[in-house]
Amino acid sequence: MSTQYPTIEDPELGTLSRAETTLDDGDVVIHDWYSGALTIDGRELELMIDGADADAVGALLPRAHAIVADLRGVRRRASEAVISHFSDSEPTPAQLEEGAVDLVLDTLEITDDTTVLHFTDSCGQHFPEGYWPAVHLDLDGEVAEVTVEG
């Protein structure tokens, strides 16, 4: 990671560093967000927080803390929103439970105006390969939109 940008050490979220990508030719692209990783239930969850400097990211840390503190509830509401959005009829409790198991939360993205949960279809039966569902939460933590990204 670049030494030009300070890392953020957070007792709950761990180390957050300015995100970088090294291209095949060796060039380094520095992104306008910080990233880190959390281990939740034995799985690594990528955390991306929008902001080109530590102060901008620091302003979003309280929301990141709130989301992580209620991650089980947020994740369940989000998986149910995905299943409901793509169902032709009201999903059954069994379908919602199956969706909660099949949709694995991989990335939590926090920006000024939204929080996005990016999921992987762990069984490969709900979304084509290379595509994943994303749930966008408003500032109150309510589901605002469900999208498919690729």
Side-chain angles (χ1 to χ4, degrees), residues 6-10 13-19 31-36 47-65 110-112:
T7 58
I8 299 169
E9 295 295 336
D10 185 273
L13 304 175
T15 302
L16 301 169
S17 303
R18 183 79 180 259
H31 302 287
D32 285 341
W33 68 83
Y34 275 62
S35 64
L47 177 62
M48 299 169 56
I49 302 179
D50 193 34
D53 60 49
D55 290 338
V57 172
L60 298 175
L61 290 180
R63 186 153 32 103
H65 290 152
I110 313 253
T111 70
D112 284 336

Side-chain angles (χ1 to χ4, degrees), residues 79-92 95-96 126-127 146:
S79 70
E80 288 182 1
V82 170
I83 300 303
S84 295
H85 183 78
F86 292 105
S87 293
D88 293 332
S89 60
E90 184 70 28
T92 66
Q95 290 169 321
L96 293 174
H126 303 285
F127 295 90
V146 176

Side-chain angles (χ1 to χ4, degrees), residues 21 33 38-41 43 48 62 71 73 93 99-100 104 110 121 135 143-144:
T21 301
W33 68 83
L38 300 170
T39 301
I40 310 272
D41 296 332
R43 291 196 76 252
M48 299 169 56
L71 194 58
V104 176
I110 313 253
D121 174 11
V135 177
V143 174

Side-chain angles (χ1 to χ4, degrees), residues 111-125:
T111 70
D112 284 336
D113 58 359
T114 191
T115 298
V116 184
L117 289 81
H118 298 271
F119 290 90
T120 295
D121 174 11
S122 66
C123 67
Q125 295 181 11

